[in-house]
Amino acid sequence: MPNKRVVIIMGPPGSGKGTQAELLAEKLNLFYFETSKIIESQVTNARANESVQISGQRYWLKDERTKWQSGILNSPPLVSFWVKNRIIELAKEGRNLILAGSPRTLIEAKEIMPLLEKLYSLNNIKIVLLGISAKESIWRNSHRRICQLMRHPVLYSSQGAKLKTCLLDGSKLIRRKGLDDPKTIVVRLKEYRERTMPIIAYLKEQGIKVKKINGSPAPAIVFKNILKALK
Ligand SMILES: [Zn+2]
């Protein structure tokens, strides 16, 4: 079966990328490729003194863990290396993909986009850019909880706030330690503005269409608008 589709969801922290990616994965039968999970598992499971060498440069995973915990983006060549390997595997399996959180730097975009074009062809790549204000991003992130078992996100609402366990699997709801602290979120937002936003101009130069969607409404409405934009 030929590979036919890649959807990439971009947007600042707290814009609902993960939630929309999960909904779209289900609806459009896409494999949800979550970069933050790859990075999290690599840096938290790293052995002491573990490193990866890429084009003569060595990356120490303990340094990457420090960056990750403080909200600074991980070294682009290393992230690209992990992400590209995974994309190649998934393309071989004939999967159609939804990416949330990649590419997150221009360097990564220049590595990943040509690979995706080769494997899926330009016409089949769609980019959705979710927009929310900085204020909303900080508020949403500082109220976010996820479940311990599957890391399902729980959106903040008066009903959601009363929940103690995940409705899907019954595991405990927790805060993401460090990553969602207000101080860390400010760093993440700055990183997004300075290092991720420049990707949009690059994508347009490459002839890849970027659909802008307002990320402020309720997830169901945002989802409907994304589906419309992808048609
Ligand atoms: Zn769960």
Side-chain angles (χ1 to χ4, degrees):
M1 202 174 77
N3 300 312
K4 344 181 252 272
R5 186 173 227 178
V6 179
V7 178
I8 300 176
I9 309 262
M10 296 180 65
S15 57
K17 293 188 293 290
T19 303
Q20 295 302 329
E22 270 182 33
L23 292 169
L24 290 162
E26 185 88 30
K27 178 89 177 175
L28 304 174
N29 193 24
L30 308 170
F31 183 90
Y32 178 17
F33 182 111
E34 206 176 347
T35 308
S36 61
K37 266 191 189 165
I38 296 181
I39 296 173
E40 186 176 1
S41 90
Q42 292 283 356
V43 300
T44 54
N45 298 326
R47 294 184 304 273
N49 288 322
E50 190 173 352
S51 67
V52 179
Q53 191 165 336
I54 302 158
S55 322
Q57 178 80 35
R58 193 167 283 285
Y59 299 91
W60 299 96
L61 295 192
K62 67 171 174 358
D63 297 340
E64 297 297 328
R65 181 164 51 214
T66 308
K67 280 187 185 173
W68 179 76
Q69 283 166 341
S70 59
I72 294 173
L73 295 176
N74 288 93
S75 301
L78 182 62
V79 175
S80 303
F81 172 77
W82 287 330
V83 169
K84 284 200 299 185
N85 285 346
R86 190 74 183 111
I87 288 173
I88 291 167
E89 280 172 19
L90 291 166
K92 263 193 209 147
E93 294 168 11
R95 307 263 196 176
N96 296 315
L97 305 179
I98 180 150
L99 275 66
S102 263
R104 51 179 79 193
T105 57
L106 197 53
I107 294 174
E108 202 187 318
K110 288 179 175 172
E111 292 267 336
I112 291 170
M113 296 315 295
L115 176 70
L116 288 174
E117 275 185 51
K118 198 179 91 186
L119 297 170
Y120 291 85
S121 99
L122 189 65
N123 290 336
N124 298 328
I125 303 173
K126 299 274 160 56
I127 316 263
V128 172
L129 178 62
L130 294 177
I132 57 165
S133 69
K135 205 175 134 192
E136 197 167 355
S137 169
I138 293 168
W139 195 89
R140 282 190 181 182
N141 278 287
S142 52
H143 287 81
R144 164 152 66 192
R145 291 185 302 165
I146 55 168
C147 85
Q148 206 162 29
L149 188 66
M150 300 290 291
R151 315 193 76 70
H152 292 126
V154 179
L155 294 169
Y156 187 82
S157 68
S158 50
Q159 284 153 313
K162 289 182 207 141
L163 284 176
K164 298 236 159 30
T165 53
C166 178
L167 290 172
L168 297 170
D169 55 48
S171 74
K172 221 171 98 184
L173 297 178
I174 54 168
R175 277 279 170 69
R176 293 201 302 181
K177 244 184 247 119
L179 225 50
D180 288 337
D181 292 346
K183 237 172 43 192
T184 315
I185 297 160
V186 171
V187 176
R188 290 169 64 202
L189 273 172
K190 184 167 178 285
E191 288 283 276
Y192 176 77
R193 222 170 29 239
E194 292 175 0
R195 300 179 69 188
T196 305
M197 276 313 275
I199 294 173
I200 302 299
Y202 165 77
L203 293 172
K204 286 182 179 162
E205 269 167 38
Q206 303 300 304
I208 301 170
K209 284 203 187 86
V210 178
K211 306 274 188 185
K212 278 191 196 160
I213 305 278
N214 180 2
S216 292
I221 293 166
V222 176
F223 181 51
K224 207 174 76 188
N225 291 338
I226 294 175
L227 286 177
K228 227 185 283 169
L230 290 177
K231 263 190 192 140

